[in-house]
């Protein structure tokens, strides 16, 4: 008789899907993002660098099923090429959106976010954004801030996204 050394998991909760039977209704509020946006902005001067411009195309699309919104970024921060992907979901227990972004520089960031009426807020350990959609939802303007200690925040950049499609 042959025996193998493969153990069955004692607790298979880690293997169990945590997704509900349908997307949380809060995800529907993110429909305002779906489409292609031209993004422009001004990066503020700081001790680590001079003022510069930001120019990008941001594309938001639903992952089939409607549980996650996928955000692609393709642009420049000054002369530096920036390509990123962000995955936005919803955490019903905190009643906040969760976002995870990955870029072509090897950076990974996790944030929480909230969309209340036209106000869109994103916050993480060292970055935060406060913005507002126009009444027709075709523009989103706002400001990013940075912090090295999570307490003291300094302006980083002002941006404006204009919906193209």
């Amino acid at each position: 008789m042959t025996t193998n050394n493969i153990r069955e998991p004692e607790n298979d909760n880690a293997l169990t899907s945590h997704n509900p039977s349908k997307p949380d209704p809060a995800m529907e509020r993110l429909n305002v993002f779906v489409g292609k946006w031209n993004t422009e902005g001004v990066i503020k001067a700081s001790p680590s660098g001079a003022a510069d411009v930001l120019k990008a195309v941001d594309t938001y699309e639903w992952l089939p099923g409607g549980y996650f919104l996928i955000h692609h970024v393709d642009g420049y921060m000054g002369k530096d090429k920036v390509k990123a992907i962000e995955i936005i979901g919803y955490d019903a227990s905190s009643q906040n959106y969760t976002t995870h972004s990955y870029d072509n520089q090897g950076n990974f960031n996790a944030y929480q976010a909230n969309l209340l009426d036209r106000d869109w807020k994103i916050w993480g350990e060292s970055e935060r954004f406060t913005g507002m959609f126009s009444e027709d939802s075709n523009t989103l303007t706002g400001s990013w801030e940075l912090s090295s200690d999570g307490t003291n925040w300094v302006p980083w950049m002002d941006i404006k996204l204009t919906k193209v499609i």
Side-chain angles (χ1 to χ4, degrees), residues 33 37 120 129 131-134 138-142 159-161:
F33 285 100
W37 301 75
W120 177 239
F129 174 80
M132 179 176 280
F133 282 95
S134 61
N138 288 326
T139 59
L140 172 63
T141 55
I159 63 168
K160 178 180 179 183
L161 288 81

Side-chain angles (χ1 to χ4, degrees), residues 9-122:
E10 292 174 21
N11 179 350
D12 65 350
N13 285 343
L15 303 176
T16 304
S17 174
H18 290 89
N19 66 328
S21 61
K22 61 182 181 173
D24 193 290
M27 290 302 289
E28 292 176 18
R29 290 186 294 199
L30 298 183
N31 277 326
V32 69
F33 285 100
V34 173
K36 186 178 281 191
W37 301 75
N38 285 332
T39 303
E40 55 189 3
V42 175
I43 303 165
K44 311 265 185 188
S46 71
S48 62
D52 218 329
V53 295
L54 163 94
K55 194 164 186 78
V57 173
D58 290 71
T59 306
Y60 293 84
E61 62 187 347
W62 287 108
L63 186 67
Y67 293 93
F68 298 99
L69 187 66
I70 307 301
H71 172 203
H72 298 270
V73 178
D74 187 2
Y76 289 87
M77 289 183 75
K79 295 177 183 170
D80 297 329
K81 180 76 171 161
V82 175
K83 285 191 157 283
I85 188 166
E86 177 182 36
I87 303 167
I88 305 170
Y90 187 73
D91 177 21
S93 64
S94 69
Q95 296 186 340
N96 287 313
Y97 298 96
T98 59
T99 82
H100 295 87
S101 66
Y102 310 85
D103 72 17
N104 62 316
Q105 306 284 320
N107 297 306
F108 162 82
N109 290 299
Y111 304 99
Q112 290 191 352
N114 202 336
L115 180 60
L116 183 61
D117 297 322
R118 295 185 296 136
D119 295 327
W120 177 239
K121 295 183 193 283
I122 305 169

